[in-house]
Coordinates of all heavy atoms in Angstrom, one line a residue:
M1 N -78.3 70.1 -46.5 CA -79.5 70.5 -45.9 C -79.2 71.7 -44.9 O -78.3 71.7 -44.1 CB -80.0 69.3 -44.9 CG -81.0 69.7 -44.0 SD -81.7 68.4 -42.9 CE -80.7 67.0 -43.0
T2 N -80.1 72.7 -45.1 CA -80.0 73.9 -44.3 C -80.6 73.6 -42.9 O -81.7 73.2 -42.9 CB -80.7 75.1 -45.0 OG1 -80.1 75.3 -46.3 CG2 -80.6 76.3 -44.2
R3 N -79.9 74.0 -41.9 CA -80.4 73.8 -40.6 C -80.7 75.3 -40.0 O -79.9 76.2 -40.2 CB -79.4 73.1 -39.7 CG -79.1 71.7 -40.2 CD -78.1 71.0 -39.5 NE -78.4 70.7 -38.1 CZ -79.2 69.7 -37.7 NH1 -79.7 68.8 -38.6 NH2 -79.4 69.5 -36.4
R4 N -81.8 75.4 -39.4 CA -82.3 76.7 -38.8 C -82.6 76.5 -37.4 O -82.8 75.4 -36.9 CB -83.5 77.1 -39.5 CG -83.3 77.3 -41.1 CD -84.6 77.5 -41.9 NE -85.5 78.5 -41.2 CZ -86.8 78.5 -41.4 NH1 -87.3 77.6 -42.3 NH2 -87.6 79.3 -40.8
L5 N -82.6 77.6 -36.6 CA -83.0 77.5 -35.2 C -84.5 77.8 -35.1 O -85.1 78.7 -35.8 CB -82.2 78.6 -34.5 CG -80.7 78.3 -34.3 CD1 -80.1 79.6 -33.6 CD2 -80.5 77.1 -33.4
F6 N -85.1 77.1 -34.2 CA -86.6 77.3 -33.8 C -86.7 77.3 -32.3 O -86.1 76.7 -31.6 CB -87.4 76.2 -34.4 CG -87.4 76.1 -35.9 CD1 -86.4 75.3 -36.5 CD2 -88.3 76.8 -36.6 CE1 -86.4 75.2 -37.9 CE2 -88.3 76.8 -38.0 CZ -87.3 75.9 -38.6
A7 N -87.6 78.3 -31.9 CA -88.0 78.3 -30.5 C -89.2 77.5 -30.4 O -90.3 77.6 -31.1 CB -88.3 79.7 -30.0
V8 N -89.2 76.5 -29.5 CA -90.4 75.6 -29.3 C -90.9 75.9 -27.9 O -90.3 75.9 -26.9 CB -89.9 74.1 -29.3 CG1 -91.1 73.2 -29.0 CG2 -89.3 73.8 -30.6
E9 N -92.3 76.2 -27.9 CA -92.9 76.6 -26.7 C -93.9 75.4 -26.3 O -94.7 75.1 -27.1 CB -93.6 77.9 -26.8 CG -94.2 78.4 -25.5 CD -94.8 79.9 -25.8 OE1 -94.3 80.5 -26.8 OE2 -95.6 80.2 -25.0
R10 N -93.9 75.0 -25.1 CA -94.8 74.0 -24.6 C -95.4 74.5 -23.3 O -94.6 74.8 -22.3 CB -94.1 72.7 -24.5 CG -95.1 71.6 -23.9 CD -94.4 70.3 -23.7 NE -95.3 69.4 -23.0 CZ -94.9 68.6 -22.1 NH1 -93.6 68.5 -21.8 NH2 -95.8 67.8 -21.5
Y11 N -96.7 74.5 -23.2 CA -97.3 74.8 -21.9 C -97.4 73.7 -21.0 O -97.7 72.6 -21.5 CB -98.8 75.4 -22.1 CG -98.7 76.5 -23.1 CD1 -99.4 76.4 -24.3 CD2 -98.0 77.7 -22.9 CE1 -99.4 77.5 -25.3 CE2 -97.9 78.8 -23.8 CZ -98.6 78.6 -25.0 OH -98.6 79.6 -26.0
D12 N -96.9 73.8 -19.7 CA -96.7 72.7 -18.9 C -97.2 73.0 -17.5 O -96.6 73.7 -16.7 CB -95.1 72.3 -18.8 CG -94.9 71.2 -17.9 OD1 -95.7 70.2 -17.8 OD2 -93.9 71.2 -17.2
D13 N -98.4 72.4 -17.2 CA -99.0 72.7 -15.9 C -98.9 71.4 -15.0 O -99.7 71.2 -14.1 CB -100.4 73.1 -16.0 CG -101.3 72.1 -16.8 OD1 -100.8 71.1 -17.2 OD2 -102.5 72.4 -16.9
S14 N -97.9 70.6 -15.3 CA -97.7 69.4 -14.5 C -97.3 69.5 -13.1 O -97.4 68.6 -12.3 CB -96.7 68.5 -15.3 OG -95.4 69.1 -15.2
G15 N -96.7 70.7 -12.8 CA -96.2 70.9 -11.5 C -95.0 70.2 -11.1 O -94.6 70.0 -10.0
R16 N -94.3 69.7 -12.2 CA -93.0 68.9 -11.9 C -91.8 69.7 -11.5 O -90.8 69.2 -11.0 CB -92.6 68.1 -13.1 CG -93.6 66.9 -13.3 CD -93.2 66.2 -14.6 NE -93.6 66.9 -15.8 CZ -94.0 66.3 -16.9 NH1 -93.9 65.1 -17.0 NH2 -94.4 67.0 -17.9
G17 N -91.9 71.0 -11.7 CA -90.8 71.9 -11.2 C -89.5 71.7 -12.0 O -89.5 71.1 -13.0
S18 N -88.4 72.2 -11.4 CA -87.1 72.2 -12.2 C -86.6 70.8 -12.3 O -85.5 70.7 -13.0 CB -86.2 73.2 -11.4 OG -86.0 72.8 -10.2
A19 N -87.0 69.8 -11.6 CA -86.4 68.4 -11.7 C -86.7 67.8 -13.0 O -86.1 66.8 -13.4 CB -86.9 67.6 -10.5
W20 N -87.7 68.2 -13.7 CA -88.2 67.6 -14.9 C -87.2 67.8 -16.0 O -86.7 68.9 -16.2 CB -89.6 68.1 -15.3 CG -90.1 67.5 -16.6 CD1 -90.4 66.2 -16.8 CD2 -90.2 68.0 -17.8 NE1 -90.9 66.0 -18.0 CE2 -90.7 67.1 -18.7 CE3 -90.0 69.3 -18.3 CZ2 -91.0 67.3 -20.1 CZ3 -90.3 69.6 -19.7 CH2 -90.8 68.6 -20.6
Q21 N -86.8 66.7 -16.8 CA -85.9 66.9 -17.9 C -86.7 66.4 -19.2 O -87.3 65.3 -19.3 CB -84.8 65.9 -17.8 CG -83.9 66.3 -16.5 CD -83.2 67.6 -16.8 OE1 -82.7 67.9 -17.9 NE2 -83.2 68.5 -15.7
P22 N -86.8 67.2 -20.2 CA -87.5 66.8 -21.4 C -86.7 65.7 -22.1 O -85.5 65.7 -22.1 CB -87.6 68.1 -22.2 CG -86.3 68.9 -21.8 CD -86.2 68.6 -20.3
P23 N -87.5 64.8 -22.7 CA -86.7 63.8 -23.6 C -86.2 64.4 -24.8 O -86.8 65.5 -25.2 CB -87.9 62.8 -23.9 CG -89.2 63.6 -23.8 CD -88.9 64.7 -22.7
L24 N -85.2 64.0 -25.3 CA -84.5 64.5 -26.5 C -85.2 64.0 -27.7 O -85.6 62.9 -27.9 CB -83.0 64.1 -26.6 CG -82.2 64.6 -25.3 CD1 -80.8 64.0 -25.5 CD2 -82.1 66.2 -25.3
P25 N -85.3 65.0 -28.8 CA -85.9 64.5 -30.1 C -84.9 63.4 -30.6 O -83.7 63.5 -30.5 CB -85.9 65.7 -30.9 CG -85.8 66.8 -29.9 CD -85.2 66.4 -28.7
V26 N -85.5 62.4 -31.3 CA -84.7 61.3 -31.8 C -84.4 61.4 -33.3 O -83.6 60.7 -33.8 CB -85.3 60.0 -31.6 CG1 -85.3 59.8 -30.0 CG2 -86.7 59.9 -32.1
A27 N -85.1 62.3 -34.0 CA -84.8 62.5 -35.4 C -83.4 63.0 -35.7 O -82.9 63.9 -35.1 CB -85.8 63.5 -36.0
A28 N -82.7 62.3 -36.6 CA -81.3 62.7 -36.8 C -81.2 64.2 -37.3 O -80.2 64.8 -37.2 CB -80.7 61.8 -37.9
A29 N -82.3 64.7 -37.9 CA -82.2 66.1 -38.5 C -82.5 67.1 -37.5 O -82.5 68.3 -37.8 CB -83.2 66.2 -39.6
V30 N -82.9 66.7 -36.2 CA -83.2 67.7 -35.2 C -82.3 67.6 -34.0 O -82.0 66.5 -33.6 CB -84.7 67.4 -34.8 CG1 -85.1 68.3 -33.6 CG2 -85.6 67.6 -35.9
H31 N -81.9 68.7 -33.5 CA -80.9 68.8 -32.4 C -81.5 69.7 -31.4 O -81.6 70.9 -31.7 CB -79.6 69.3 -32.9 CG -78.6 69.4 -31.8 ND1 -78.0 68.3 -31.1 CD2 -77.9 70.5 -31.3 CE1 -77.2 68.7 -30.2 NE2 -77.1 70.1 -30.3
L32 N -81.6 69.2 -30.1 CA -82.1 70.1 -29.0 C -80.8 70.8 -28.5 O -79.9 70.1 -28.0 CB -82.7 69.3 -27.9 CG -83.1 70.0 -26.7 CD1 -84.2 71.0 -26.9 CD2 -83.6 69.0 -25.6
I33 N -80.8 72.1 -28.6 CA -79.7 72.9 -28.1 C -79.8 73.2 -26.6 O -78.9 73.1 -25.9 CB -79.5 74.2 -28.9 CG1 -79.2 73.8 -30.4 CG2 -78.4 75.1 -28.4 CD1 -79.2 74.9 -31.3
A34 N -81.0 73.6 -26.2 CA -81.2 74.0 -24.8 C -82.6 74.0 -24.5 O -83.5 74.2 -25.4 CB -80.6 75.4 -24.5
A35 N -83.0 73.8 -23.2 CA -84.4 73.8 -22.8 C -84.4 74.4 -21.4 O -83.5 74.2 -20.6 CB -85.0 72.4 -22.8
M36 N -85.5 75.1 -21.1 CA -85.6 75.7 -19.8 C -87.1 75.7 -19.4 O -88.0 75.8 -20.3 CB -85.1 77.1 -19.7 CG -85.9 78.1 -20.5 SD -85.1 79.8 -20.3 CE -83.9 79.7 -21.5
Q37 N -87.4 75.5 -18.2 CA -88.7 75.5 -17.6 C -88.9 76.8 -16.9 O -88.1 77.1 -16.0 CB -89.0 74.3 -16.8 CG -90.5 74.2 -16.4 CD -90.7 72.9 -15.6 OE1 -89.9 72.4 -14.9 NE2 -91.9 72.2 -15.9
L38 N -90.0 77.5 -17.1 CA -90.4 78.6 -16.3 C -91.6 78.2 -15.5 O -92.8 78.4 -15.9 CB -90.8 79.8 -17.3 CG -89.7 80.2 -18.2 CD1 -90.2 81.2 -19.2 CD2 -88.4 80.6 -17.6
P39 N -91.4 77.6 -14.3 CA -92.6 77.1 -13.5 C -93.6 78.1 -13.1 O -94.8 77.8 -13.2 CB -91.8 76.6 -12.2 CG -90.4 76.4 -12.6 CD -90.2 77.4 -13.6
A40 N -93.3 79.3 -12.9 CA -94.2 80.4 -12.5 C -95.1 80.6 -13.7 O -96.3 81.0 -13.5 CB -93.5 81.6 -12.1
D41 N -94.7 80.5 -14.9 CA -95.5 80.7 -16.1 C -96.1 79.4 -16.7 O -96.8 79.4 -17.7 CB -94.7 81.4 -17.2 CG -94.3 82.8 -16.8 OD1 -95.1 83.4 -16.0 OD2 -93.2 83.3 -17.2
E42 N -95.7 78.3 -16.1 CA -96.1 76.9 -16.6 C -95.8 76.8 -18.1 O -96.6 76.4 -18.9 CB -97.6 76.8 -16.3 CG -98.0 76.7 -14.8 CD -99.4 76.5 -14.5 OE1 -100.2 76.7 -15.4 OE2 -99.6 76.0 -13.4
V43 N -94.6 77.1 -18.4 CA -94.2 76.9 -19.8 C -92.7 76.3 -19.8 O -92.0 76.5 -19.0 CB -94.2 78.3 -20.6 CG1 -93.2 79.3 -20.0 CG2 -94.1 78.2 -22.0
V44 N -92.5 75.6 -20.9 CA -91.2 75.1 -21.2 C -90.7 75.7 -22.6 O -91.5 75.6 -23.5 CB -91.2 73.5 -21.3 CG1 -89.8 73.0 -21.7 CG2 -91.6 73.0 -19.9
L45 N -89.6 76.2 -22.6 CA -89.0 76.8 -23.9 C -87.8 75.9 -24.3 O -87.0 75.6 -23.4 CB -88.6 78.3 -23.6 CG -89.7 79.2 -23.2 CD1 -89.0 80.5 -22.9 CD2 -90.7 79.3 -24.2
A46 N -87.7 75.7 -25.6 CA -86.6 74.9 -26.1 C -86.0 75.6 -27.3 O -86.8 76.2 -28.1 CB -87.0 73.5 -26.4
L47 N -84.7 75.6 -27.4 CA -84.1 76.0 -28.7 C -83.6 74.8 -29.4 O -82.9 74.0 -28.9 CB -82.9 77.0 -28.3 CG -82.1 77.5 -29.5 CD1 -83.1 78.4 -30.3 CD2 -80.9 78.3 -29.1
V48 N -84.2 74.7 -30.6 CA -84.0 73.5 -31.4 C -83.5 73.8 -32.8 O -83.8 74.8 -33.4 CB -85.3 72.7 -31.5 CG1 -85.2 71.4 -32.3 CG2 -85.9 72.3 -30.2
E49 N -82.6 73.0 -33.3 CA -82.1 73.2 -34.6 C -82.6 72.1 -35.5 O -82.6 70.9 -35.2 CB -80.5 73.1 -34.6 CG -79.8 73.4 -35.9 CD -78.3 73.3 -35.8 OE1 -77.8 72.3 -35.2 OE2 -77.6 74.3 -36.2
G50 N -83.0 72.5 -36.7 CA -83.6 71.5 -37.6 C -83.9 72.1 -39.0 O -83.7 73.4 -39.1
P51 N -84.2 71.4 -40.0 CA -84.4 71.8 -41.3 C -85.6 72.8 -41.5 O -85.5 73.7 -42.2 CB -84.5 70.6 -42.2 CG -85.0 69.5 -41.2 CD -84.4 69.9 -39.9
D52 N -86.7 72.4 -40.9 CA -87.9 73.3 -41.0 C -88.8 72.9 -39.8 O -88.7 72.0 -39.0 CB -88.6 73.1 -42.2 CG -89.1 71.7 -42.5 OD1 -89.8 71.1 -41.7 OD2 -88.8 71.1 -43.6
A53 N -89.9 73.8 -39.5 CA -90.7 73.6 -38.4 C -91.5 72.3 -38.4 O -91.8 71.8 -37.3 CB -91.8 74.7 -38.4
D54 N -91.9 71.8 -39.6 CA -92.6 70.6 -39.6 C -91.9 69.4 -39.1 O -92.3 68.5 -38.4 CB -93.2 70.3 -41.1 CG -94.3 71.3 -41.5 OD1 -94.9 71.8 -40.5 OD2 -94.4 71.4 -42.7
V55 N -90.6 69.3 -39.6 CA -89.7 68.3 -39.1 C -89.4 68.4 -37.5 O -89.4 67.4 -36.8 CB -88.3 68.3 -39.8 CG1 -87.3 67.3 -39.2 CG2 -88.6 67.9 -41.3
V56 N -89.3 69.6 -37.1 CA -89.0 69.8 -35.6 C -90.3 69.4 -34.9 O -90.2 68.7 -33.9 CB -88.8 71.3 -35.4 CG1 -88.8 71.6 -33.8 CG2 -87.3 71.6 -35.9
A57 N -91.5 69.8 -35.3 CA -92.8 69.3 -34.7 C -92.9 67.9 -34.6 O -93.3 67.3 -33.6 CB -94.0 70.0 -35.4
A58 N -92.6 67.2 -35.7 CA -92.7 65.7 -35.7 C -91.8 65.1 -34.8 O -92.0 64.1 -34.1 CB -92.5 65.2 -37.1
A59 N -90.5 65.6 -34.7 CA -89.5 65.0 -33.8 C -89.9 65.2 -32.4 O -89.7 64.2 -31.5 CB -88.1 65.6 -34.1
M60 N -90.4 66.4 -32.1 CA -90.8 66.6 -30.7 C -92.0 65.8 -30.3 O -92.1 65.2 -29.2 CB -91.2 68.1 -30.5 CG -90.0 69.0 -30.8 SD -88.6 68.8 -29.8 CE -88.9 69.7 -28.3
A61 N -93.0 65.6 -31.2 CA -94.1 64.8 -30.9 C -93.8 63.2 -30.8 O -94.3 62.5 -30.0 CB -95.2 64.9 -32.0
E62 N -92.7 62.9 -31.5 CA -92.3 61.5 -31.5 C -91.8 61.1 -30.1 O -92.0 59.9 -29.7 CB -91.1 61.3 -32.5 CG -90.6 59.8 -32.6 CD -89.6 59.7 -33.6 OE1 -89.6 60.4 -34.6 OE2 -88.8 58.8 -33.6
V63 N -91.3 62.1 -29.3 CA -90.8 61.7 -28.0 C -91.8 62.1 -26.9 O -91.5 62.2 -25.7 CB -89.4 62.3 -27.7 CG1 -88.4 61.7 -28.5 CG2 -89.5 63.9 -27.8
G64 N -93.0 62.4 -27.4 CA -94.1 62.9 -26.4 C -94.0 64.3 -25.9 O -94.4 64.6 -24.8
W65 N -93.4 65.1 -26.6 CA -93.2 66.5 -26.2 C -93.8 67.4 -27.3 O -93.1 68.2 -28.0 CB -91.7 66.8 -26.1 CG -91.4 67.9 -25.1 CD1 -91.8 68.1 -23.8 CD2 -90.6 69.0 -25.4 NE1 -91.3 69.2 -23.3 CE2 -90.6 69.8 -24.1 CE3 -89.8 69.5 -26.5 CZ2 -89.8 71.0 -24.1 CZ3 -89.0 70.6 -26.3 CH2 -89.1 71.3 -25.2
P66 N -95.2 67.4 -27.5 CA -95.8 68.2 -28.5 C -95.6 69.7 -28.2 O -95.6 70.1 -27.1 CB -97.2 67.8 -28.5 CG -97.5 67.2 -27.1 CD -96.1 66.6 -26.7
A67 N -95.4 70.4 -29.3 CA -95.2 71.9 -29.1 C -96.5 72.6 -29.3 O -97.3 72.3 -30.2 CB -94.2 72.3 -30.3
D68 N -96.7 73.6 -28.5 CA -97.9 74.5 -28.6 C -97.5 75.6 -29.6 O -98.5 76.1 -30.3 CB -98.2 75.0 -27.3 CG -98.8 74.1 -26.3 OD1 -99.8 73.4 -26.7 OD2 -98.2 73.8 -25.3
R69 N -96.3 76.0 -29.7 CA -95.9 77.0 -30.8 C -94.4 76.6 -31.2 O -93.6 76.3 -30.3 CB -95.9 78.4 -30.2 CG -97.2 78.9 -29.8 CD -97.2 80.2 -29.4 NE -96.0 81.0 -29.2 CZ -95.9 82.3 -29.2 NH1 -96.9 83.1 -29.2 NH2 -94.7 82.9 -29.1
I70 N -94.2 76.9 -32.4 CA -92.8 76.7 -33.0 C -92.6 78.0 -33.8 O -93.4 78.2 -34.8 CB -92.6 75.5 -33.8 CG1 -92.8 74.3 -33.0 CG2 -91.3 75.4 -34.5 CD1 -92.7 72.9 -33.7
N71 N -91.5 78.7 -33.5 CA -91.2 79.9 -34.3 C -89.8 80.0 -34.7 O -88.9 79.5 -33.9 CB -91.5 81.2 -33.5 CG -93.0 81.4 -33.3 OD1 -93.7 81.5 -34.1 ND2 -93.4 81.5 -32.0
P72 N -89.4 80.5 -35.9 CA -88.0 80.6 -36.2 C -87.3 81.6 -35.1 O -88.0 82.4 -34.5 CB -88.1 81.4 -37.5 CG -89.4 81.1 -38.1 CD -90.3 80.9 -37.0
A73 N -86.1 81.2 -34.8 CA -85.4 81.9 -33.7 C -84.0 82.4 -34.2 O -83.5 81.9 -35.2 CB -85.2 81.0 -32.5
V74 N -83.5 83.4 -33.5 CA -82.2 83.9 -33.8 C -81.4 83.9 -32.5 O -81.9 84.3 -31.5 CB -82.3 85.4 -34.3 CG1 -80.9 86.0 -34.5 CG2 -83.1 85.5 -35.6
W75 N -80.2 83.2 -32.6 CA -79.3 83.1 -31.4 C -78.6 84.4 -31.2 O -77.8 84.8 -32.2 CB -78.4 82.0 -31.7 CG -77.5 81.6 -30.5 CD1 -76.2 82.0 -30.4 CD2 -77.8 80.8 -29.4 NE1 -75.7 81.5 -29.2 CE2 -76.7 80.8 -28.6 CE3 -78.9 80.2 -29.0 CZ2 -76.7 80.0 -27.4 CZ3 -79.0 79.5 -27.8 CH2 -77.9 79.4 -27.0
L76 N -78.8 85.1 -30.1 CA -78.3 86.4 -29.9 C -76.9 86.5 -29.3 O -76.0 87.3 -29.6 CB -79.2 87.4 -29.2 CG -80.5 87.6 -29.8 CD1 -81.4 88.5 -28.9 CD2 -80.4 88.3 -31.2
H77 N -76.6 85.6 -28.4 CA -75.4 85.5 -27.7 C -74.9 84.0 -27.4 O -75.5 83.5 -26.5 CB -75.6 86.3 -26.4 CG -74.3 86.5 -25.6 ND1 -73.3 87.3 -26.0 CD2 -74.0 86.0 -24.4 CE1 -72.3 87.3 -25.1 NE2 -72.7 86.5 -24.1
P78 N -74.0 83.6 -28.2 CA -73.5 82.3 -27.9 C -73.1 82.0 -26.6 O -72.5 82.8 -25.9 CB -72.4 82.1 -29.0 CG -72.7 83.1 -30.0 CD -73.3 84.3 -29.2
W79 N -73.3 80.8 -26.1 CA -73.0 80.4 -24.8 C -71.5 80.4 -24.6 O -70.7 80.0 -25.5 CB -73.4 78.9 -24.5 CG -73.1 78.4 -23.1 CD1 -72.0 77.5 -22.9 CD2 -73.7 78.6 -22.0 NE1 -72.0 77.2 -21.6 CE2 -72.9 77.9 -21.0 CE3 -74.7 79.4 -21.5 CZ2 -73.4 78.0 -19.6 CZ3 -75.1 79.4 -20.3 CH2 -74.4 78.7 -19.3
G80 N -71.0 81.0 -23.6 CA -69.6 81.0 -23.2 C -68.8 82.2 -23.9 O -67.7 82.5 -23.6
E81 N -69.5 82.9 -24.8 CA -68.8 84.0 -25.5 C -68.9 85.3 -24.6 O -70.0 85.6 -24.2 CB -69.4 84.3 -26.8 CG -68.7 85.4 -27.6 CD -69.3 85.5 -29.0 OE1 -69.4 84.6 -29.7 OE2 -69.6 86.6 -29.3
Q82 N -67.9 85.9 -24.3 CA -67.9 87.0 -23.4 C -67.5 88.3 -24.3 O -66.5 88.2 -25.0 CB -67.0 87.0 -22.2 CG -67.4 85.8 -21.4 CD -68.6 86.1 -20.6 OE1 -68.9 87.2 -20.2 NE2 -69.4 85.1 -20.5
K83 N -68.2 89.4 -24.2 CA -67.9 90.6 -25.0 C -67.7 91.8 -24.0 O -68.4 91.8 -23.0 CB -68.8 90.9 -26.0 CG -68.7 89.9 -27.1 CD -69.4 90.4 -28.4 CE -69.1 89.3 -29.4 NZ -69.5 89.7 -30.7

């Protein structure tokens, strides 16, 4: 199975601030790599790995984290790699 990266965008006006932690997708085919909240913009962004956008959307919805947008993503600079 080919795994691809997707950027998941969710608008979040809950006011929970940086203490909020998103639940992890539970589908075996989907892996949450990173998530960040931009409180000033009321948005949460996640980098997710999965086979396709439909499977990613279903996994995110399953844990109560519906996505407003899902787009293919390209990882530009791996964590910890220094050049």
Side-chain angles (χ1 to χ4, degrees):
M1 167 182 8
T2 302
R3 297 175 67 81
R4 300 170 44 204
L5 291 176
F6 295 91
V8 178
E9 185 173 341
R10 176 180 173 221
Y11 307 118
D12 180 36
D13 60 358
S14 68
R16 288 180 279 211
S18 61
W20 180 69
Q21 297 293 318
L24 299 175
V26 295
V30 176
H31 176 71
L32 177 64
I33 295 172
M36 70 180 79
Q37 185 175 37
L38 307 173
D41 293 330
E42 297 181 337
V43 68
V44 176
L45 301 174
L47 183 61
V48 178
E49 186 179 50
D52 61 54
D54 291 335
V55 172
V56 169
M60 301 303 277
E62 185 175 333
V63 295
W65 206 51
D68 291 299
R69 290 181 5 158
I70 297 177
N71 289 305
V74 176
W75 187 260
L76 297 178
H77 186 64
W79 180 258
E81 182 178 312
Q82 300 290 322
K83 291 195 177 191

